[in-house]
Every structure is written in structure tokens, then in C-alpha cells.
Amino acid sequence: MREDKINNAKRWVVKVGSSLVTNNGLGLDKKAIAHWADQLVSLQKQGIQIVLVSSGAVAEGVARLELSARPTKVHLQQAAAAVGQMGLVQAYESCFMRHGVHAAQILLSHEDLSDRTRYLNARSTLSTLLEMKVVPVVNENDTVATAELCFGDNDTLAALVANLVNADVMVVLTDQDGIYSADPRLDVDAEFISVASADDDSLMDYAGKGSSLGRGGMFTKISAAKLAARSGTNTIIANGKMEKVLLQIASGVKIGTLLEADNEPVTARKQWLAGQLILKGSMVLDDGAIRVLKESGKSLLAVGIKQVDGRFSRGDVVVCTNKAGKEIARGLVNYDNDEVKALMGQSSEKISELLGYAGEEEIIHRDNLILS
Ligand code: GLU
């Protein structure tokens, strides 16, 4: 079971917390960063697509600004993060470049991902980077947001990224081996949990306190696993101090705690889409388009659209109906209502000519479409 879930996983989100990339919270540990880059490049060579979520900006900023300790005031942490992020990306860039692999900086906030247009934009940027075999290095945009700075050390952000890229696996690396039923330092009967459902409520009772360096304790990691499970992503919480931990996980060694997503990826993701969003408009499809959506599971193209109603923007949820007004599907649309009107009935090759810019080929991509 576990082997299947991991062996078949082709898209991983890997999250490394501050304690794994810094020297005791002060300044970056360049050797550690080189080890992460080496392992990630090896995974890439095995055909795995990687998105790295890394913190460490505040810690590096503290070192660069020669502050005696991590500031407690949030605006000072933000300033430190802005300075330190330069060092963090420099370090990753040079370590990945040693292997001839490009890295890309992505700074995101939770709000970016709850806004549907930004969600779709972030999603297409990340998928494009993955297709290009670039490793995206994601951190919270600490200048404008403070959620992870105050609470999570990027745990929740990693889960949102897992939702965003539809990851098969999220590996959350920390300084503990995984989840125990009690604190093993205090309780000899503490049992190690090697597999559990991400939705198992008793996990929260087991969650102990976090390490002092990062913000996120086990509690935020379990919540992150629950969030990732909503889009079908399985989470492994493992000890980042273990030798070549990522390569061991990829080769099937049972390391850490696996928190399983109970639903199949596609179903869960589409449930998530369906549950999150409000309907803004509708489009009438011709019979050919309806057949293609239902029978071949393909994306909706402009050529099959007969009529557009309502006012909607890129990223809104729109209903697709047949000529009699019966709902056939709903999904996240790639264009505004006026743009769809201009494109309807036309072939996708004409998009740039009709709109004056080259947008997506699909009006609704099949990954963002739910049949009714
Ligand atoms: N985004 C922050 C960083 O990269 C989160 C980590 C923290 O709160 O220390 O430094």
C-alpha cells in the first residue's frame, strides 16, 4: 500500500523548515542547502517533478543584518525576511546550477491562493516551470503576509502548494522522526505512528510542541497534511536530519509518518473545487462539445460554445449547460465573459489574433472541470 503510493508518486512538494537550512537559526547552512539540492536533483533524474518549499529567510536576514537574535516584532521579522530571501535564493540557485538545473523563486501568500485568478496564474506558472524541469523554490511573501511567519514556518503554505500543483506526495521534513502517540522522551510506552489517515482526529492529541527554531510544531504539520489530503495528496512527515532522507523515501524505505489521503486524487481535487467556489455565469455548449467533455474527459474549447451569459472573470466558476439549459458541467474559466464571447465558435489557434494576446488553449481546462 505505502510502497504503491510513494513509488507511483510523480509530483512531490518537499518542505524544509528553518531548522534544516540554518546554523541553529542564525544564517544559512550552505552545506545543508547543497545536500537538499543534490537529493532533489537525484529525484528529478528519477522522473519525479519537485516543488521545494523552503523557509530560512528570516534566519539569513538576522545573520546578514548582524542582529543578535531573531526579532520578536513582526515588522522586523519581515524586514529580516526581505534581506534574507536574497541569500536563500542565491544559495539554492548556486547549488542547483552545479547540476545544471535552474531554480525559480516563487513568493506566495495564502490570499494569493484563495483568490481564484491568482490561484490559476500561480498554477500555470508552476506547471510551466515543472514542464521546463526547473525547480520552483517557494517561500511565503513575508513582506505582505505574516501567517507563516507567526504560526506555520511554511507548513500550511506547503499544503496549499500541494493543492495548487495537485501533488501526489508532500514530504514535510522536520527535526523529529514523525508522530508518536506520546512524547518518547517522557513516556516509555510512546508508540511511533507509521501510517494513519490524515483525517484521523486522534493525531491532534498526539501532536507535541514544535522545535524552537521554526514556527511550526507537529500540530501545524498535521493540519497541513489534512489540507493536502483534500486534493488527494499523501503526506510524509520525516526527520530531515536523516542521511539522504528524500532518496530513502523515494526508494521505498519506510521512514517517518505517512498520513494518507482517503480520496483518490482527482475526485478529491474536484470535490475541493466544487466546495470552494461560487457560480458566476453560464455557457451553452453544442452537442459535440458535450460529448467530448462527457466521453473523452477533455478540456472545453471555444469552438463548442454557443452562448455566454452572466458576468465573470478569469478564475470564476461558470456553469456549462446544453441547449435546453440543463447543467452538464462546471469549472474554473480561463477568460472573462467578454473574451469568451469573442472566442466562442472559433478554433483555439485564433485566440491570440482575436484577443491580442496568447492565452490558454482551453476555455476550461479538464483539471478544473467537474461533470454534473
Ligand atoms: N518565511 C519565513 C522564512 O523563510 C518563515 C520561517 C520563520 O518563521 O522562521 O524565514
Side-chain angles (χ1 to χ4, degrees):
M1 269 298 267
R2 176 176 167 134
E3 286 73 13
D4 288 353
K5 288 201 163 140
I6 309 305
N7 289 351
N8 299 331
K10 286 286 162 250
R11 192 169 276 190
W12 290 28
V13 170
V14 176
K15 186 257 165 179
V16 287
S18 300
S19 62
L20 296 173
V21 291
T22 59
N23 288 309
N24 288 326
L26 288 174
L28 292 175
D29 179 347
K30 302 263 168 66
K31 253 174 114 179
I33 291 192
H35 285 312
W36 294 122
D38 294 350
Q39 289 187 62
L40 294 172
V41 170
S42 303
L43 292 181
Q44 223 189 27
K45 288 196 181 129
Q46 294 173 30
I48 297 170
Q49 292 181 322
I50 300 289
V51 178
L52 175 65
V53 177
S54 174
S55 31
V58 173
E60 174 65 0
V62 167
R64 289 191 170 201
L65 293 168
E66 296 178 18
L67 307 177
S68 54
R70 180 187 168 99
T72 47
K73 294 203 171 100
V74 172
H75 68 274
L76 294 176
Q77 290 176 15
Q78 290 178 294
V83 172
Q85 181 66 21
M86 303 287 282
L88 192 65
V89 292
Q90 269 168 357
Y92 279 116
E93 163 74 5
S94 64
C95 292
F96 280 111
M97 268 325 278
R98 260 187 250 155
H99 299 278
V101 170
H102 287 290
Q105 176 186 234
I106 308 271
L107 296 176
L108 288 174
S109 69
H110 295 195
E111 288 72 23
D112 290 333
L113 302 181
S114 55
D115 176 285
R116 294 181 293 284
T117 309
R118 290 179 185 205
Y119 167 87
L120 282 182
N121 283 330
R123 189 171 188 275
S124 51
T125 307
L126 281 162
S127 359
T128 308
L129 290 168
L130 291 176
E131 272 164 33
M132 293 170 155
K133 298 202 180 340
V134 172
V135 179
V137 180
V138 182
N139 197 356
E140 186 183 49
N141 190 350
D142 294 321
T143 301
V144 297
T146 57
E148 301 293 342
L149 217 43
C150 299
F151 310 109
D153 195 13
N154 290 349
D155 289 332
T156 314
L157 184 68
L160 292 170
V161 170
N163 290 155
L164 187 70
V165 300
N166 227 1
D168 302 305
V169 168
M170 170 170 81
V171 182
V172 177
L173 295 170
T174 176
D175 52 7
Q176 296 169 44
D177 291 338
I179 304 171
Y180 284 88
S181 60
D183 187 337
R185 289 164 300 189
L186 306 174
D187 186 342
V188 283
D189 293 328
E191 271 177 47
F192 186 71
I193 316 279
S194 76
V195 188
S197 158
D199 285 314
D200 183 342
D201 287 335
S202 51
L203 291 171
M204 288 300 185
D205 302 335
Y206 302 152
K209 289 199 179 106
S211 72
S212 57
L213 294 180
R215 265 34 29 232
M218 209 45 97
F219 187 84
T220 61
K221 289 173 180 48
I222 295 168
S223 309
K226 261 179 123 158
L227 184 56
R230 276 160 63 182
S231 54
T233 306
N234 298 298
T235 295
I236 294 177
I237 300 175
N239 194 336
K241 305 265 183 208
M242 283 179 91
E243 181 73 17
K244 303 212 164 125
V245 62
L246 294 172
L247 302 183
Q248 291 203 60
I249 292 172
S251 65
V253 183
K254 288 184 184 160
I255 290 172
T257 299
L258 169 66
L259 297 177
E260 292 179 318
D262 292 332
N263 294 323
E264 286 303 309
V266 171
T267 321
R269 175 176 159 69
K270 293 194 172 180
Q271 274 168 2
W272 177 74
L273 272 171
Q276 290 276 312
L277 310 164
I278 313 157
L279 307 169
K280 284 288 187 72
S282 61
M283 301 189 287
V284 179
L285 311 188
D286 67 18
D287 295 342
I290 293 172
R291 222 178 12 256
V292 168
L293 293 192
K294 281 190 165 170
E295 288 164 23
S296 336
K298 293 218 170 116
S299 300
L300 175 66
L301 303 180
V303 68
I305 301 171
K306 304 294 279 177
Q307 190 184 317
V308 181
D309 296 297
R311 286 177 66 82
F312 51 84
S313 308
R314 173 179 164 83
D316 285 337
V317 176
V318 169
V319 176
C320 302
T321 70
N322 64 12
K323 277 176 244 158
K326 184 174 176 284
E327 183 174 324
I328 303 298
R330 51 177 69 185
L332 287 163
V333 74
N334 281 335
Y335 293 95
D336 298 354
N337 56 307
D338 287 339
E339 292 173 325
V340 181
K341 264 186 201 154
L343 297 175
M344 67 185 187
Q346 305 282 349
S347 86
S348 304
E349 283 103 69
K350 289 215 173 140
I351 291 179
S352 46
E353 183 191 320
L354 290 165
L355 298 184
Y357 70 92
E360 280 94 338
E361 224 182 287
E362 313 85 11
I363 302 299
I364 300 179
H365 191 276
R366 65 165 186 265
D367 289 351
N368 293 328
L369 188 109
I370 315 156
L371 288 175
S372 306

Short mmCIF file of all heavy atoms in Angstrom, two decimals, residues 18 54-59 70 77 81 85 88 139-140 142 148-150 153-154 213-215, ligand 1:
data_model
loop_
_atom_site.label_atom_id
_atom_site.label_comp_id
_atom_site.label_asym_id
_atom_site.label_seq_id
_atom_site.Cartn_x
_atom_site.Cartn_y
_atom_site.Cartn_z
N SER A 18 13.01 26.00 8.75
CA SER A 18 14.20 26.81 9.07
C SER A 18 15.29 26.00 9.75
O SER A 18 16.48 26.19 9.47
CB SER A 18 13.81 27.96 9.98
OG SER A 18 12.86 28.77 9.36
N SER A 54 10.74 26.23 0.96
CA SER A 54 11.82 26.39 1.94
C SER A 54 11.69 27.69 2.71
O SER A 54 11.49 28.75 2.14
CB SER A 54 13.17 26.38 1.22
OG SER A 54 14.21 26.68 2.14
N SER A 55 11.83 27.60 4.01
CA SER A 55 11.97 28.82 4.82
C SER A 55 13.45 29.03 5.09
O SER A 55 14.30 28.37 4.48
CB SER A 55 11.14 28.73 6.09
OG SER A 55 11.02 27.45 6.56
N GLY A 56 13.75 29.95 5.97
CA GLY A 56 15.15 30.27 6.24
C GLY A 56 15.50 31.71 5.94
O GLY A 56 16.60 32.17 6.22
N ALA A 57 14.53 32.45 5.39
CA ALA A 57 14.80 33.85 5.02
C ALA A 57 15.03 34.72 6.26
O ALA A 57 15.99 35.51 6.30
CB ALA A 57 13.65 34.40 4.19
N VAL A 58 14.19 34.54 7.27
CA VAL A 58 14.35 35.37 8.47
C VAL A 58 15.72 35.09 9.09
O VAL A 58 16.48 36.02 9.40
CB VAL A 58 13.22 35.09 9.50
CG1 VAL A 58 13.50 35.82 10.81
CG2 VAL A 58 11.87 35.49 8.94
N ALA A 59 16.03 33.80 9.21
CA ALA A 59 17.30 33.43 9.84
C ALA A 59 18.49 34.02 9.09
O ALA A 59 19.43 34.55 9.70
CB ALA A 59 17.41 31.91 9.89
N ARG A 70 16.74 36.40 16.59
CA ARG A 70 15.55 36.61 15.75
C ARG A 70 14.68 37.68 16.42
O ARG A 70 14.37 37.59 17.60
CB ARG A 70 14.78 35.29 15.68
CG ARG A 70 13.51 35.37 14.85
CD ARG A 70 12.71 34.06 14.97
NE ARG A 70 11.39 34.25 14.42
CZ ARG A 70 11.02 33.85 13.20
NH1 ARG A 70 11.86 33.23 12.43
NH2 ARG A 70 9.80 34.07 12.77
N GLN A 77 10.84 41.12 11.70
CA GLN A 77 10.99 39.80 11.06
C GLN A 77 10.78 39.92 9.56
O GLN A 77 11.47 39.30 8.76
CB GLN A 77 9.94 38.82 11.60
CG GLN A 77 10.18 38.40 13.04
CD GLN A 77 9.06 37.50 13.56
OE1 GLN A 77 8.27 36.97 12.79
NE2 GLN A 77 8.99 37.35 14.86
N ALA A 81 13.34 39.01 6.74
CA ALA A 81 13.00 38.05 5.68
C ALA A 81 13.32 38.62 4.31
O ALA A 81 13.83 37.92 3.43
CB ALA A 81 11.52 37.67 5.77
N GLN A 85 15.90 36.64 2.14
CA GLN A 85 15.41 35.92 0.96
C GLN A 85 16.43 35.99 -0.18
O GLN A 85 16.57 35.05 -0.96
CB GLN A 85 14.05 36.50 0.55
CG GLN A 85 13.39 35.84 -0.64
CD GLN A 85 12.99 34.38 -0.40
OE1 GLN A 85 12.83 33.93 0.73
NE2 GLN A 85 12.84 33.64 -1.48
N LEU A 88 18.83 33.31 0.52
CA LEU A 88 18.22 31.98 0.37
C LEU A 88 18.19 31.58 -1.10
O LEU A 88 18.60 30.49 -1.47
CB LEU A 88 16.81 32.02 0.97
CG LEU A 88 16.11 30.69 1.18
CD1 LEU A 88 16.83 29.85 2.23
CD2 LEU A 88 14.66 30.91 1.63
N ASN A 139 8.54 30.32 -1.04
CA ASN A 139 8.52 30.79 0.35
C ASN A 139 7.32 31.70 0.50
O ASN A 139 6.74 32.16 -0.50
CB ASN A 139 9.82 31.52 0.69
CG ASN A 139 10.04 31.67 2.21
OD1 ASN A 139 9.19 31.28 3.03
ND2 ASN A 139 11.18 32.23 2.58
N GLU A 140 6.94 31.97 1.74
CA GLU A 140 5.87 32.95 1.94
C GLU A 140 6.40 34.33 1.54
O GLU A 140 7.58 34.63 1.74
CB GLU A 140 5.42 32.98 3.40
CG GLU A 140 4.22 33.91 3.57
CD GLU A 140 3.77 34.03 5.02
OE1 GLU A 140 4.62 34.27 5.89
OE2 GLU A 140 2.57 33.91 5.27
N ASP A 142 6.80 37.25 2.78
CA ASP A 142 6.73 37.79 4.14
C ASP A 142 6.55 39.31 4.19
O ASP A 142 6.13 39.85 5.20
CB ASP A 142 7.99 37.40 4.93
CG ASP A 142 8.07 35.90 5.17
OD1 ASP A 142 7.02 35.28 5.43
OD2 ASP A 142 9.18 35.33 5.09
N GLU A 148 2.69 32.54 7.99
CA GLU A 148 3.71 31.52 8.27
C GLU A 148 4.78 32.05 9.22
O GLU A 148 5.34 31.30 10.01
CB GLU A 148 4.34 31.04 6.96
CG GLU A 148 3.36 30.43 5.97
CD GLU A 148 2.73 29.12 6.45
OE1 GLU A 148 3.28 28.50 7.38
OE2 GLU A 148 1.68 28.75 5.91
N LEU A 149 5.02 33.35 9.10
CA LEU A 149 6.00 33.99 9.99
C LEU A 149 5.56 33.82 11.44
O LEU A 149 6.36 33.55 12.33
CB LEU A 149 6.02 35.47 9.63
CG LEU A 149 7.29 36.28 9.65
CD1 LEU A 149 8.45 35.54 9.04
CD2 LEU A 149 7.06 37.60 8.91
N CYS A 150 4.26 33.98 11.68
CA CYS A 150 3.75 33.92 13.05
C CYS A 150 3.41 32.51 13.50
O CYS A 150 3.58 32.17 14.66
CB CYS A 150 2.52 34.79 13.20
SG CYS A 150 2.84 36.52 12.86
N ASP A 153 5.75 28.50 9.83
CA ASP A 153 7.04 28.16 9.21
C ASP A 153 6.83 27.43 7.89
O ASP A 153 7.51 26.45 7.59
CB ASP A 153 7.90 27.35 10.19
CG ASP A 153 9.36 27.28 9.75
OD1 ASP A 153 9.73 28.05 8.85
OD2 ASP A 153 10.11 26.46 10.28
N ASN A 154 5.84 27.87 7.13
CA ASN A 154 5.55 27.35 5.78
C ASN A 154 4.86 25.99 5.71
O ASN A 154 4.73 25.44 4.62
CB ASN A 154 6.81 27.28 4.90
CG ASN A 154 7.34 28.64 4.50
OD1 ASN A 154 6.66 29.65 4.68
ND2 ASN A 154 8.52 28.69 3.94
N LEU A 213 13.24 26.54 16.71
CA LEU A 213 13.72 27.37 15.60
C LEU A 213 12.62 27.80 14.63
O LEU A 213 12.51 28.96 14.29
CB LEU A 213 14.81 26.65 14.82
CG LEU A 213 16.09 26.41 15.59
CD1 LEU A 213 17.08 25.70 14.69
CD2 LEU A 213 16.66 27.73 16.08
N GLY A 214 11.85 26.86 14.17
CA GLY A 214 10.79 27.23 13.23
C GLY A 214 9.54 27.57 14.01
O GLY A 214 9.47 27.35 15.22
N ARG A 215 8.55 28.10 13.31
CA ARG A 215 7.30 28.41 13.99
C ARG A 215 6.40 27.19 14.09
O ARG A 215 5.56 27.10 14.92
CB ARG A 215 6.52 29.47 13.20
CG ARG A 215 6.59 30.91 13.51
CD ARG A 215 7.73 31.68 14.00
NE ARG A 215 9.03 31.26 13.68
CZ ARG A 215 9.99 31.09 14.59
NH1 ARG A 215 9.75 31.27 15.83
NH2 ARG A 215 11.19 30.74 14.23
N1 GLU B 1 9.01 32.65 5.60
C1 GLU B 1 9.79 32.58 6.79
C2 GLU B 1 11.25 32.36 6.43
O1 GLU B 1 11.56 31.93 5.35
C3 GLU B 1 9.20 31.52 7.66
C4 GLU B 1 10.07 30.94 8.69
C5 GLU B 1 10.05 31.52 10.07
O2 GLU B 1 9.00 31.99 10.54
O3 GLU B 1 11.10 31.47 10.68
O4 GLU B 1 12.15 32.67 7.14
#
